Amino acid sequence: MKQAPHSNRPIFGAAALIQYAYLFFLLFTTPALAQTSSAGIPANAQPKSYGLGWECDPGYRSENESCVAIEIPTNAYPTNLSYGNGWECRRGFQEISGGCEAIPIPANAFLNSSGTDWKCNRGFRKFNTSCVAIEVPANGYLDDASYGSGWKCNRGFRATEDTCAEIIVPANAYFVESSYGRGWKCERGYQVSGESCVEVMMPENAHLDYTGNDWACDKPYFKQLQDCVLP
């Protein structure tokens, strides 16, 4: 039996054929894809970093399928946003009539941290477009709060209109830090009577209550007027 002559052509398997077909596809289609991705992109634009389409370069905005330069006024910078003016004023400037003008800062004031407004120095308060000195009365001191009078009274004094009046503590009482009330409290065993502290008078079968400034009945007695009676 004669043996079949050997062929010089290589024999390809199915896997090899698929691989060569894929390489053939990439070879002939890649230039076309590259042309498609850059086609239709106007000047001063670039393909989006994600998704399809394009976006304008910084300093330009989309208008009628093209990118036009944003007119940035003096003392402004581009925001690179697709909405709004496309620019914002620099720190210390404010937008007025399509431009950026310096924020007028009055005497005894400084530009705030955001750079969009001003604040008065300590010891001054805002009044219209200026900073006026806070008048601190005798026995008072400057307060750092941004509201109120701008000052507080020293210990032992209380605000009465525009002055600090001394708090008079009666006998059997002690001073308390409070912006309201009398400014003093009766000692334990005493209760307020007008502007003084008088001894708490307890009936039989009674004791000082939890405040120390009034009385309550012992159990099983209960309070009836000024006495402690049984049920």
Side-chain angles (χ1 to χ4, degrees), residues 34-118:
Q35 293 177 2
T36 302
S37 62
S38 59
I41 298 179
N44 303 310
Q46 56 187 325
K48 285 187 176 180
S49 56
Y50 58 90
L52 302 176
W54 51 269
E55 57 188 359
C56 294
D57 295 335
Y60 294 83
R61 69 186 338 163
S62 177
E63 186 174 309
N64 298 326
E65 297 301 321
S66 62
C67 291
V68 296
I70 298 174
E71 295 183 5
I72 301 176
T74 306
N75 298 313
Y77 61 91
T79 59
N80 301 329
L81 298 176
S82 59
Y83 54 88
N85 293 330
W87 54 266
E88 287 186 2
C89 295
R90 296 185 181 277
R91 187 176 187 275
F93 293 83
Q94 59 186 349
E95 181 181 348
I96 296 179
S97 301
C100 292
E101 297 184 9
I103 297 174
I105 301 176
N108 302 306
F110 60 93
L111 195 65
N112 64 9
S113 58
S114 64
T116 57
D117 202 356
W118 52 269

